[in-house]
């Protein structure tokens, strides 16, 4: 993830939850907020409801890979938090990717089709 750094501070997550825009799918919830920085920041949340540590780590890996493969289509300068839901562990990867693309488009995180400025 060359244009992204990790979001780690609890107060930054809380700020996104309260002031950011959100979009929901059966697999995850995405919160975002424009920051104006040259890079985006990504945070991933997996709750205890998902299961044990193995399942939570699997969910984080799947979400990180979704983000990595779609990163070139996303606009820079956003704080993004992805909250995993239980279905993210059992869902097919193609469904996860389709859902992720729909949510990022809905939130305005993707560049318009004709714009290849990056």
């Amino acid at each position: 993830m060359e244009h992204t750094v990790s979001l780690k501070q609890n107060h930054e997550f809380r700020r996104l939850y309260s002031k950011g825009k959100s979009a929901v799918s059966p697999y995850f919830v995405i919160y975002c907020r424009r920051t104006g920085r040259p890079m985006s920041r990504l945070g991933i949340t997996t709750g205890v409801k998902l299961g044990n540590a193995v399942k939570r780590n699997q969910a984080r890996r799947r979400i990180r890979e979704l983000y990595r493969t779609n990163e070139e289509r996303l606009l820079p300068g956003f704080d993004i938090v992805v909250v995993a839901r239980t279905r993210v562990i059992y869902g097919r990867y193609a469904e996860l990717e389709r859902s992720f693309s729909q949510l990022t488009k809905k939130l305005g995180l993707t560049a318009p089709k004709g714009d290849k400025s990056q």
Side-chain angles (χ1 to χ4, degrees), residues 25-28 49-50 58-59 62-63 83-93 95-96 99:
S25 82
Y27 302 107
F28 31 72
K49 275 180 162 182
L50 252 59
Q58 178 185 9
R62 293 186 96 184
I63 291 170
V83 180
R85 290 182 154 186
T86 309
R87 290 188 186 179
V88 78
I89 297 169
Y90 306 108
R92 290 189 338 215
Y93 189 80
E95 287 293 314
L96 295 176
S99 180

Side-chain angles (χ1 to χ4, degrees), residues 8-21:
K8 295 187 189 241
Q9 298 295 314
N10 188 16
H11 68 91
E12 294 168 336
F13 278 83
R14 285 195 318 243
R15 184 184 318 128
L16 270 175
Y17 295 146
S18 64
K19 297 185 180 181
K21 293 192 303 182

Side-chain angles (χ1 to χ4, degrees), residues 23 25 27-30 42 62-71 73-74 80-82 93-107 109-110:
S25 82
Y27 302 107
F28 31 72
V29 181
I30 298 179
L42 175 68
R62 293 186 96 184
I63 291 170
R64 206 174 300 120
E65 180 64 13
L66 278 171
Y67 185 86
R68 188 191 66 78
T69 56
N70 291 292
E71 184 179 23
R73 284 186 255 155
L74 301 178
I80 302 167
V81 169
V82 181
Y93 189 80
E95 287 293 314
L96 295 176
E97 195 160 31
R98 185 177 59 76
S99 180
F100 186 80
S101 295
Q102 286 175 346
L103 294 182
T104 55
K105 206 170 292 176
K106 181 178 177 182
L107 290 169
L109 294 173
T110 55

